[in-house]
Amino acid sequence: MRRRKFITFLGGVASWPLAAWAQQSVMPVIGVLSPTSPDNLTDRLRAFRQGLKDTGYVEGENVAIEYRSAEGQLDRLPALVADLVRRQVTVIAVPGSAAAALAATAATQTIPIAFGVPEDPVKLGLVASLARPGGNATGINFFTAEVTAKRLGLLRELVPAAARVAVLVNPANVARGPSTREEIEPAARVLGLQIQFYDASTDQEIDAAYARLVRERPDALFVAPDVFFTSRSAQLTALAARHALPAAYSVRESVEAGGLMSYGTSIADMYRQVGVYSGRMLKGVKPADLPVVQATKFELTINLKTAKALGLEIPPTLLARADEVIE
């Protein structure tokens, strides 16, 4: 029978529900490591489990899953993954976070690791090459510079009068922050946009950044892709609505929370693919023999209610291109 319990781990860091220890002794165990709260990942973890099911594994029947969350505190990732290594899990899955993937590869060179990262995994040092990863890690790369340019262009289509665009970045994300700056500046020049960067890595800094935005009054906001910003979608979209600021995000969850638009990789599909790779590793396939998959499924989501509140008229051609329109 399936049994779950919660434990407190490392002085308050959340450890998600565990399969029964008796079951773990007779079935393989996957350790799932995430920097964000499980409360924000319900749909994505469902997609991960679907990927496992596609390879013949069902949680609680023939595979156990131990979930670990740093609850937004990235400095706790090394301790969390160290615990998974001590427990000798069969596979470590780290979907959606370069910081978690780097913590995992630093902790073990033997346990297979399936990652999903928005940065170039070769530049991060996770793999030797996309085609031949080498080592014990491989997975999904779900971001390219072209996506940044595309999202900025879509924002310009939604707000054609925009000339000055604020860009919100997380300076604590050392992997994503600098690359966002490098990618968006040439895209802005092509579109004839002036950009100004605003830093935020805590709730208080988000509030401070918006206070500065109110004073400086840019025409639109571009929120850089970042797991911290995704976990703060409600805060970000509420502030944007309060100050009537059109904003573009990287994930559809932000649009569901009231944001104007998002364009980016289907994160749910990335989680599913990480689940598929985790299942293949459970079957004995070596990570070195699994090439890094580059995401091909992208989603444009528009919140029509938010657009109307901002007084924006969405071009019919843009609405026709949207994968989802929230009314």
Side-chain angles (χ1 to χ4, degrees):
M1 293 181 62
R2 185 175 175 183
R3 178 165 61 92
R4 289 184 176 273
K5 69 175 182 177
F6 289 84
I7 65 171
T8 300
F9 176 71
L10 292 179
V13 176
S15 178
W16 299 349
L18 310 180
W21 288 112
Q23 288 180 321
Q24 292 182 13
S25 64
V26 297
M27 66 174 65
V29 180
I30 298 174
V32 176
L33 179 66
S34 172
T36 60
S37 169
D39 295 338
N40 301 316
L41 301 175
T42 302
D43 291 342
R44 297 178 180 184
L45 290 173
R46 185 181 300 114
F48 173 77
R49 288 190 288 269
Q50 181 59 52
L52 283 174
K53 187 176 181 180
D54 291 345
T55 61
Y57 291 97
V58 177
E59 182 181 9
E61 294 184 9
N62 58 354
V63 66
I65 303 178
E66 294 197 12
Y67 300 93
R68 293 290 187 273
S69 166
E71 299 289 343
Q73 300 181 57
L74 299 184
D75 59 338
R76 294 183 175 178
L77 286 169
L80 290 169
V81 73
D83 178 66
L84 292 174
V85 172
R86 281 193 299 271
R87 294 177 185 276
Q88 298 183 333
V89 296
T90 316
V91 171
I92 296 176
V94 282
S97 168
L102 289 168
T105 54
T108 177
Q109 286 75 53
T110 55
I111 297 175
I113 298 169
F115 61 71
V117 295
E119 298 82 21
D120 182 344
V122 178
K123 289 183 178 179
L124 288 174
L126 293 172
V127 297
S129 72
L130 300 182
R132 299 179 181 276
N136 64 315
T138 189
I140 317 302
N141 175 218
F142 61 95
F143 188 85
T144 65
E146 289 75 17
V147 175
T148 295
K150 179 72 171 180
R151 187 183 306 121
L152 187 62
L154 289 167
L155 179 60
R156 179 62 179 275
E157 286 189 58
L158 281 168
V159 193
R164 298 168 55 244
V165 176
V167 181
L168 187 66
V169 296
N170 180 2
N173 188 339
V174 295
R176 184 69 240 151
S179 56
T180 294
R181 294 174 185 267
E182 294 171 3
E183 292 157 3
I184 201 168
E185 287 176 337
R189 284 195 296 270
V190 170
L191 293 168
L193 295 171
Q194 297 177 7
I195 56 172
Q196 179 67 45
F197 292 100
Y198 296 75
D199 292 342
S201 55
T202 66
D203 292 343
Q204 294 74 22
E205 289 176 354
I206 288 176
D207 288 334
Y210 266 88
R212 183 182 161 199
L213 286 167
V214 171
R215 293 193 303 271
E216 299 180 357
R217 296 307 303 172
D219 301 311
L221 173 66
F222 183 101
V223 179
D226 187 274
V227 291
F228 171 68
F229 292 153
T230 300
S231 71
R232 298 301 188 271
S233 289
Q235 180 185 8
L236 289 169
T237 56
L239 286 167
R242 183 184 308 164
H243 301 297
L245 187 61
Y249 305 86
S250 61
V251 294
R252 65 187 298 274
E253 287 92 337
S254 297
V255 183
E256 291 176 341
L260 174 61
M261 63 84 67
S262 68
Y263 178 76
T265 309
S266 169
I267 303 299
D269 190 62
M270 178 274 293
Y271 267 73
R272 183 192 62 79
Q273 291 184 78
V274 172
V276 169
Y277 261 25
S278 297
R280 294 185 66 182
M281 291 176 188
L282 290 177
K283 291 180 179 294
V285 180
K286 296 179 180 179
D289 297 329
L290 293 171
V292 174
V293 175
Q294 293 188 291
T296 58
K297 185 177 181 181
F298 300 91
E299 296 177 330
L300 169 61
T301 306
I302 297 173
N303 191 315
L304 201 56
K305 181 179 179 181
T306 300
K308 290 179 179 178
L310 292 168
L312 297 175
E313 195 72 36
I314 308 298
T317 54
L318 189 56
L319 283 175
R321 286 151 53 195
D323 297 280
E324 182 178 2
V325 176
I326 297 174
E327 302 195 37

